[in-house]
Amino acid sequence: MCGIVGAIAGRDVVPVLVEGLKRLEYRGYDSSGIAVLNGVEVRRVRRIGRVAEMEAAALEKGVAGQLGIGHTRWATHGGVTEANAHPHISQGVSLVHNGIIENHEEQRERLRGLGYVFESQTDTEVIAHLIHHHLSHGSADVLAALQAAVKELTGAYALAVISAAEPERLVVARMGCPLLVGLGEGENFVASDVSAIIQATRRVIFLEEGDTAELTRDGVQVFGEDNAPVQREQHLSDVSLASLELGPYRHFMQKEIHEQPRALADTIDAVINAGSFDASLFGANAEAVLSGITGIKILACGTSYYAGSTAKYWIESIAGLPCDVEIASEYRYRQAFADPRHLVVTISQSGETLDTMEALKYAKSLGHTHTLSICNVQESAIPRASELVCYTRAGAEIGVASTKAFTTQLAALFQLTVVLGKLHGKVNAEQEVDYLEQLRQLPGSVQHALNLEPQIAAWAERFATKANALFLGRGLHYPIALEGALKLKEITYIHAEAYPAGELKHGPLALVDEAMPVVVIAPNDSLLEKVKSNMQEVRARGGELFVFADQDSNFSASEGVHVIRTPRNVGVLSPIVHTIPVQMLAYHAALARGTDVDKPRNLAKSVTVE
Ligand code: AGP
């Protein structure tokens, strides 16, 4: 969704802003803009569409300067127009904003009464006028005006502000939306996401809720919610430039699918090296917390929710603990029952999904005290708000359709399951060794599944012409069917649904005819015979079956039944291996249909709005 970048330097900052905005493109946006201060004049360029168009316009106008802010906008308040794009300006005060101001209507009326004229329909313009109002009514400088203005706002914001009258400072504020400061030599930066400034510096400070900060060329001062100076810890970001670049691949999604053996190996590295599943994986205090809990509640959205849905099967059968999984946006608005002895596990690739964050806050407000976050982005909002943390080590995921983040979430959840199983006396030493061995073999099995790409690409050609598809799975593989259908929907725009195969006869079977491809995830497990019967139900109605079986499954292709064999059954970790083919099916079908694989229409990478 929206992205922020800002810089104050001894050089022209326009290339820094443009490169930063390009690196934020993956989050999803519909317009972009920059405002740059050169002497006492603010030059602003905004465009609908790609950052490249805005960059060309900035070049043509010769915009340059040593202080500037930039933004990619995802429309919420007001349509996709140049007038609604950021930065917004109020008489020399320029600002970019991520988040949503809830009391913007009330503030707009008030500011109109004070003579301000609005040029956009955004909630953001209110903040620009409010800061200007404070500047002209007693605030000593733009920092003081920003600090006064944010006290009058309700809602969520990350803000970066420059003032034409103060060319020596860039001021910022954070509440409810991520914002970090990048520390350079004689130059400093601000961004909503570390990827936007990683080309300039790795040294970062993550601002906390309620913080404001002032950046000059030579230093950064952070202030807490009470406006008193505070020290915030410096971190060295581990995001690599290579993970943000395409390399030899056509799309980030393709790159990220192929990175999975490495991403999984990195995520399980600590367990493999230690030769045991230790609670300390989840934090110093994890052993005490995890031994004392009596159940698990998982909260997540989208693909992360499907990771949680898979984990439910593991946690109940291996760790012997009750586990329920809930879509975060549903949970946060219902009168839920809270058992404080249950551990709340949030799963989020980005760590900033608003619904998941709000669900976590709601769970705490209901009395949950033990929380664990499984996340791929260091120091993002959700892990910071959690008692225990497990970072997946997938590396930056740029494609909107989540791939390596999902399989690494599954690996982390499996590790959590075995740790819980040990602590609750359900996994003995022999079983632990066995799980360790299964985990050790996982990256290799995933690589083996990746080698099926040519066969899957051939199937995908046939899917590309279809209007609908059904995905079936049972047990542990039902969430993988859901994930397969979601991947296909997201990037090909083919309508796809997933069902537990046993549910077919209770309704969805009515959809099946010759035009309906039915993808079946049919590993060689205890449910295979049941799945085979469900496949017969489809065949009998003329439906065409595309079956992902295991190498050691005992069945073969026939008229209307196409079979691709993944490696031999890998036991409880089979859902991870069976995810690879459905990802590749969606990817190749999207290629055949010519859709925008990495930036599918209407979707954003980080969903920071409701
Ligand atoms: C996955 O392909 C999606 N883009 C989406 O469902 C995503 O998983 C969901 O928005 C949750 O995101 P998170 O993991 O960053 O919280």
Side-chain angles (χ1 to χ4, degrees):
M1 300 226 143
C2 301
I4 287 177
V5 61
I8 180 161
R11 55 177 167 143
D12 178 18
V13 296
V14 171
V16 178
L17 300 181
V18 169
E19 185 170 351
L21 293 180
K22 285 185 174 171
R23 292 194 191 281
L24 291 173
E25 282 188 300
Y26 78 95
R27 296 166 61 92
Y29 71 107
D30 43 50
S31 53
S32 64
I34 57 172
V36 176
L37 189 57
N38 194 353
V40 289
E41 187 200 9
V42 175
R43 308 275 314 270
R44 173 173 66 176
V45 186
R46 298 179 293 178
R47 286 292 181 275
I48 293 167
R50 294 279 145 116
V51 172
E53 289 161 42
M54 192 274 298
E55 178 187 19
L59 216 69
E60 195 186 312
K61 292 183 172 188
V63 175
Q66 299 180 351
L67 170 61
I69 50 178
H71 192 259
T72 48
R73 173 175 187 254
W74 168 282
T76 54
H77 293 72
V80 182
T81 64
E82 203 166 294
N84 286 336
H86 302 204
H88 289 281
I89 298 184
S90 178
Q91 303 170 58
V93 172
S94 307
L95 135 171
V96 290
H97 165 224
N98 286 359
I100 290 178
I101 302 305
E102 283 159 15
N103 63 341
H104 72 103
E105 274 166 7
E106 173 193 324
Q107 292 290 356
R108 184 182 284 256
E109 281 321 300
R110 178 182 152 219
L111 288 159
R112 272 206 181 110
L114 293 169
Y116 286 96
V117 176
F118 283 80
E119 292 173 356
S120 76
Q121 294 121 24
T122 63
D123 51 341
T124 302
E125 194 180 354
V126 161
I127 318 172
H129 292 318
L130 204 54
I131 294 173
H132 177 267
H133 170 70
H134 282 288
L135 256 181
S136 45
H137 285 81
S139 289
D141 54 30
V142 67
L143 174 67
L146 171 67
Q147 288 171 334
V150 294
K151 297 279 183 281
E152 296 179 291
L153 302 176
T154 55
Y157 52 78
L159 294 165
V161 188
I162 58 176
S163 163
E166 299 172 52
E168 299 304 322
R169 56 165 68 116
L170 165 58
V171 296
V172 303
R174 178 206 162 164
M175 178 66 84
C177 293
L179 195 65
L180 56 94
V181 170
L183 307 168
E185 296 297 330
E187 52 187 23
N188 289 303
F189 310 90
V190 64
S192 52
D193 179 330
V194 72
S195 60
I197 53 167
I198 202 72
Q199 76 279 13
T201 183
R202 268 180 195 289
R203 286 192 299 134
V204 295
I205 293 172
F206 297 99
L207 296 181
E208 297 194 0
E209 295 290 58
D211 280 357
T212 53
E214 178 183 69
L215 286 66
T216 61
R217 286 176 186 82
D218 299 320
V220 171
Q221 178 62 63
V222 183
F223 303 88
E225 202 156 4
D226 57 358
N227 297 342
V230 285
Q231 291 299 321
R232 300 279 181 237
E233 204 185 328
Q234 275 189 38
H235 297 260
L236 207 58
S237 171
D238 65 358
V239 169
S240 77
L241 262 185
S243 70
L244 304 172
E245 273 151 22
L246 211 43
Y249 295 96
R250 243 175 111 178
H251 297 101
F252 279 104
M253 183 181 179
Q254 182 194 23
K255 176 178 183 240
E256 288 156 6
I257 287 174
H258 283 272
E259 281 174 346
Q260 289 176 107
R262 198 271 311 142
L264 285 162
D266 287 350
T267 301
I268 62 176
D269 185 55
V271 165
I272 300 294
N273 279 338
S276 79
F277 293 83
D278 199 277
S280 60
L281 278 174
F282 301 94
N285 194 28
E287 184 162 345
V289 173
L290 299 179
S291 334
I293 52 123
T294 59
I296 307 281
K297 171 172 276 300
I298 299 179
L299 302 171
C301 305
T303 286
S304 297
Y305 169 73
Y306 298 146
S309 307
T310 311
K312 175 183 168 70
Y313 289 86
W314 284 332
I315 290 169
E316 295 200 337
S317 66
I318 297 173
L321 289 170
C323 174
D324 81 282
V325 191
E326 209 164 333
I327 291 177
S329 57
E330 283 296 307
Y331 174 76
R332 63 179 283 205
Y333 289 117
R334 76 178 178 85
Q335 294 286 315
F337 172 80
D339 183 340
R341 294 166 305 163
H342 285 194
L343 173 74
V344 172
V345 177
T346 51
I347 310 170
S348 173
Q349 182 282 131
S350 61
E352 54 182 78
T353 301
L354 188 81
D355 282 323
T356 309
M357 183 67 196
E358 291 303 319
L360 173 60
K361 287 187 193 160
Y362 179 56
K364 288 185 187 175
S365 77
L366 292 179
H368 281 288
T369 50
H370 296 309
T371 58
L372 185 157
S373 154
I374 293 182
C375 183
N376 196 41
V377 179
Q378 298 271 334
E379 294 297 323
S380 50
I382 297 172
R384 282 157 65 90
S386 304
E387 183 184 25
L388 306 176
V389 178
C390 172
Y391 286 112
T392 48
R393 295 182 59 200
E397 189 177 72
I398 308 292
V400 164
S402 192
T403 52
K404 61 178 181 173
F406 176 66
T407 47
T408 54
Q409 284 168 349
L410 288 175
L413 286 159
F414 180 73
Q415 295 179 134
L416 174 65
T417 302
V418 182
V419 167
L420 288 168
K422 277 175 67 179
L423 293 174
H424 290 262
K426 301 286 185 211
V427 171
N428 61 30
E430 198 183 325
Q431 287 164 319
E432 182 180 10
V433 170
D434 191 33
Y435 289 135
L436 203 62
E437 189 48 34
Q438 293 186 36
L439 208 52
R440 201 190 310 273
Q441 290 183 13
L442 181 65
S445 303
V446 165
Q447 184 56 57
H448 196 136
L450 284 167
N451 298 343
L452 299 169
E453 190 161 13
Q455 291 156 261
I456 294 171
W459 276 11
E461 292 287 334
R462 307 170 64 164
F463 271 77
T465 57
K466 304 286 184 186
N468 301 289
L470 279 180
F471 284 68
L472 303 178
R474 286 191 88 133
L476 265 178
H477 296 83
Y478 166 50
I480 306 309
L482 286 163
E483 173 60 4
L486 179 65
K487 287 287 89 92
L488 196 70
K489 275 188 272 226
E490 275 188 297
I491 61 168
T492 67
Y493 318 144
I494 294 171
H495 171 236
E497 298 297 336
Y499 289 95
E503 191 63 10
L504 204 57
K505 56 188 172 297
H506 298 292
L509 198 54
L511 296 170
V512 173
D513 61 14
E514 301 73 36
M516 177 68 84
V518 180
V519 178
V520 188
I521 299 163
N524 189 14
D525 63 13
S526 59
L527 290 167
L528 181 59
E529 289 310 314
K530 302 276 173 215
V531 173
K532 280 186 185 171
S533 313
N534 302 135
M535 283 162 51
Q536 290 308 322
E537 293 164 4
V538 173
R539 254 332 271 148
R541 273 87 191 167
E544 196 172 8
L545 289 157
F546 296 83
V547 186
F548 291 113
D550 289 336
Q551 203 58 256
D552 43 3
S553 296
N554 167 28
F555 69 86
S556 41
S558 57
E559 171 76 27
V561 183
H562 314 281
V563 181
I564 290 180
R565 290 176 193 280
T566 56
R568 96 190 145 68
N569 186 264
V570 296
V572 282
L573 294 174
S574 168
I576 301 181
V577 176
H578 272 275
T579 299
I580 312 303
V582 295
Q583 292 172 343
M584 291 196 292
L585 183 64
Y587 173 71
H588 284 283
L591 277 192
R593 284 169 76 93
T595 51
D596 189 342
V597 173
D598 285 334
K599 300 189 195 82
R601 68 185 183 200
N602 310 337
L603 299 179
K605 184 68 186 164
S606 295
V607 187
T608 51
V609 296
E610 270 206 77

